[in-house]
Amino acid sequence: MSRGKYPVPLDLPLPQALGEGLGKQDSAYGALRQAILDKRLAAGCRLPSTRTLAQRWAMSRGTLEVVFDRLRSEGYVSRAAGSGTRVCAVVPDLYLSAPLAVAPAASNEDGPRPQPQGVRAGQPFVARLADPALFPLARWTRSLTRALAGAPAQSLCDHDPGGLPQLRQQIAQYLGQHRGIACEPAQVMVTTGIRHGLDLLARSLLRPGDEVCLEDPGYLSARELFALAGAQAIPVPVLEEGIDVDRLHEHGAARMVYVTPAHQAPLGMTMPVSRRLALLEWARRSGAWVVEDDYDSEFNYQSAPLAALKSLDRDDRVIYCGSFNKTLFAGLRVGFMLVPDALRERLLATLQSTGRSVGVIEQLALADYIASGAFLRYLRAARQAYQERRDLLLAILAREAPGCYSISGQQAGLHLLLHLPPGGDEARLRQRAAALGIVLQGLAEHCQQVRPGPAVIIGYAALSLAQIRFSGSRLAALLVDEARQARAGA
């Protein structure tokens, strides 16, 4: 009997059973791979040694070493000195590569058309969200239990439409210490997320026909939410340092401008202080509101992030929006806004009319989670994990597809932008990637009037290292072929 938790399986199928026309190496690889996919070799199971299999299958150990290394590189097994070769807990073909979507049957009925696939954990490469696997559920359970045990019954009535005082206090302290914003709990309004905040602003502050300036390219949901309120969306180009403030001066009647200064969505640049000050001066002169979406500022990999745009706001023209579902896990549905004093009563009235969507229990637990220091510890661990994933992906692309692309926006956030070489075809790359189970979102679909070069958005945060190795190599091969076709068509 072998040592360890799992016995060594010796009843593996012989490679010859896979059919004729295969060499010894491919036959052995296929036999082991199929045994893993069929779960005859279960997760965590230790494979026989190459010596044992060489004797059983009448092969050389060198051939089987190559086979084992191939299985390891593709994520089927892990190899470690002293513990042998073991089957990984996640089977690559079932998990690393998502199944292709089946087209729905044609219908003659009119109605809304389905939207393109959005972000999703575990799906290369639209996984630009917090990885739920990193979230410490046991620690969160303690916060839930402690918050409920210590909460007075009256707090369960949710008497304050702006959010529980305990949570607003913790948010205000966090923003003061880590985003450079001097604020009071009374300025904080709890929402279900940034889109909820944008919807409240659109309902409360905009009338049909009002102009709202939006980054181009920019966040698609912001454009849709303002359009639902009847506002006229004014696309403003994004330059190398952020939104073109000179173009904003052409729209002095605009009621609002929406920006993502920490990590522009989707281009990824950080707006410098000079551009921020120019934006605030435009807002002061025009009397417009600036909506700052600070969606992923917690994740900066090269240096400490710039303080928020709101920290420079001396005229109380900036409405700051943040979200815990962008940092902890998507299903949490707790966000917040810092609301200027002149707008608070109007927004609260809209919030009460439309219904308060944030549960009291979630607010109590989150307040405890932040106050205990667990939130900051989680952010440090998540930042390190996301940086490791980004670095691995960049290393794979640099090694396997040198000169076939360029990168921007990689210094922060949960995604980066991958630019194709001149002559590259964004739509063709996305179509070929989809055939391999890789979903790529094109830059073009985030644009209104600007026509940038071909590029795709690469979300990596909610992918495992094994997924990045597997799909990163596939993406690199696609990039090499795309660059070859671009050169041939030049």
Side-chain angles (χ1 to χ4, degrees):
M1 177 66 67
S2 64
R3 293 178 294 173
K5 181 177 179 180
Y6 300 95
V8 176
L10 294 177
D11 56 343
L12 293 174
L14 295 176
Q16 292 88 335
L18 292 176
E20 300 178 356
L22 294 176
K24 287 187 176 182
Q25 183 184 125
D26 287 337
S27 296
Y29 163 80
L32 290 170
R33 176 181 177 275
Q34 197 61 46
I36 294 172
L37 293 175
D38 293 342
K39 297 188 178 180
R40 283 174 286 163
L41 292 174
C45 174
R46 193 175 72 181
L47 270 64
S49 67
T50 55
R51 182 187 302 276
T52 301
L53 280 182
Q55 294 173 351
R56 176 172 171 76
W57 286 353
M59 293 183 180
S60 70
R61 287 189 64 190
T63 296
L64 289 168
E65 285 289 344
V66 172
V67 169
F68 276 35
D69 282 341
R70 181 178 174 184
L71 292 169
R72 179 196 57 77
S73 67
E74 294 179 359
Y76 291 97
V77 300
S78 61
R79 307 190 75 183
S83 61
T85 302
R86 293 184 180 271
V87 178
C88 289
V90 175
V91 177
D93 276 17
L94 301 182
Y95 186 67
L96 300 181
S97 177
L100 297 179
V102 178
S107 173
N108 294 325
E109 297 182 7
D110 294 330
R113 295 290 186 265
Q115 296 298 312
Q117 184 181 33
V119 297
R120 190 173 70 184
Q123 171 64 69
F125 279 101
V126 289
R128 59 178 195 273
L129 71 167
D131 186 355
L134 294 178
F135 187 68
L137 283 174
R139 180 62 189 80
W140 178 249
T141 300
R142 292 201 299 273
S143 286
L144 282 167
T145 302
R146 190 158 54 218
L148 283 175
Q154 186 61 30
S155 68
L156 301 181
C157 296
D158 190 16
H159 60 282
D160 191 330
L164 291 184
Q166 303 96 306
L167 180 57
R168 290 190 282 117
Q169 174 71 34
Q170 292 301 322
I171 292 173
Q173 290 180 0
Y174 171 78
L175 293 177
Q177 294 171 4
H178 299 279
R179 297 302 291 131
I181 305 173
C183 59
E184 299 296 329
Q187 298 174 264
V188 177
M189 183 176 296
V190 178
T191 67
T192 64
I194 289 174
R195 281 182 291 182
H196 182 203
L198 296 179
D199 183 51
L200 285 174
L201 294 173
R203 292 171 184 262
S204 304
L205 306 182
L206 300 178
R207 299 181 299 271
D210 280 349
E211 293 185 355
V212 178
C213 294
L214 301 172
E215 297 171 320
D216 187 15
Y219 181 40
L220 295 175
S221 293
R223 185 197 319 171
E224 294 166 358
L225 287 168
F226 291 131
L228 286 174
Q232 181 183 358
I234 305 296
V236 180
V238 176
L239 306 178
E240 291 184 2
E241 294 187 336
I243 194 168
D244 187 349
V245 178
D246 290 338
R247 292 286 294 274
L248 284 177
H249 288 289
E250 301 173 7
H251 304 285
R255 290 276 292 158
M256 185 180 295
V257 60
Y258 167 85
V259 291
T260 52
H263 190 235
Q264 200 277 336
L267 297 180
M269 78 277 290
T270 299
M271 186 185 294
V273 172
S274 58
R275 183 65 55 90
R276 297 179 185 216
L277 292 174
L279 175 60
L280 292 175
E281 177 61 17
W282 171 83
R284 185 187 68 81
R285 290 187 176 186
S286 62
W289 301 105
V290 178
V291 181
E292 177 183 12
D293 183 343
D294 205 36
Y295 68 102
D296 66 359
S297 62
E298 291 84 0
F299 304 112
N300 195 288
Y301 309 120
Q302 294 180 352
S303 61
L306 282 176
L309 173 66
K310 179 64 178 176
S311 69
L312 302 172
D313 181 21
R314 298 293 177 263
D315 300 297
D316 211 15
R317 306 301 305 177
V318 176
I319 305 164
Y320 177 94
C321 300
S323 175
F324 291 102
N325 47 54
K326 288 291 186 182
T327 52
L328 296 177
F329 59 95
L332 181 57
R333 310 317 309 167
V334 180
F336 57 91
M337 295 192 298
L338 280 183
V339 179
D341 292 339
L343 302 180
R344 180 170 178 79
E345 293 304 319
R346 203 182 317 176
L347 289 171
L348 284 177
T350 303
L351 187 60
Q352 288 180 294
S353 298
T354 57
R356 301 186 296 275
S357 306
V358 184
V360 177
I361 295 174
E362 290 92 334
Q363 293 188 61
L364 287 169
L366 185 55
D368 178 87
Y369 188 74
I370 299 173
S372 69
F375 179 57
L376 291 179
R377 291 193 296 273
Y378 166 81
L379 287 181
R380 286 193 291 269
R383 189 182 301 116
Q384 181 177 0
Y386 298 155
Q387 181 173 356
E388 182 181 13
R389 296 169 191 187
R390 181 207 64 170
D391 291 348
L392 175 61
L393 177 60
L394 292 178
I396 291 171
L397 296 178
R399 181 181 67 247
E400 300 182 18
C404 299
Y405 65 94
S406 61
I407 292 291
S408 65
Q410 74 274 24
Q411 78 284 353
L414 307 175
H415 77 273
L416 52 84
L417 197 64
L418 190 149
H419 303 266
L420 304 185
D425 190 321
E426 179 182 305
R428 179 173 61 198
L429 177 67
R430 294 177 62 192
Q431 184 176 13
R432 295 186 62 213
L436 298 177
I438 296 175
V439 179
L440 300 176
Q441 288 186 326
L443 177 60
E445 67 185 78
H446 293 259
C447 300
Q448 298 181 68
Q449 293 182 354
V450 299
R451 294 295 178 264
V456 291
I457 302 166
I458 303 296
Y460 54 83
L463 298 174
S464 69
L465 294 177
Q467 287 174 303
I468 290 175
R469 291 190 190 96
F470 185 85
S471 296
S473 290
R474 286 189 163 189
L475 177 60
L478 290 172
L479 292 173
V480 169
D481 192 57
E482 181 62 35
R484 185 184 304 115
Q485 294 189 55
R487 287 193 297 268

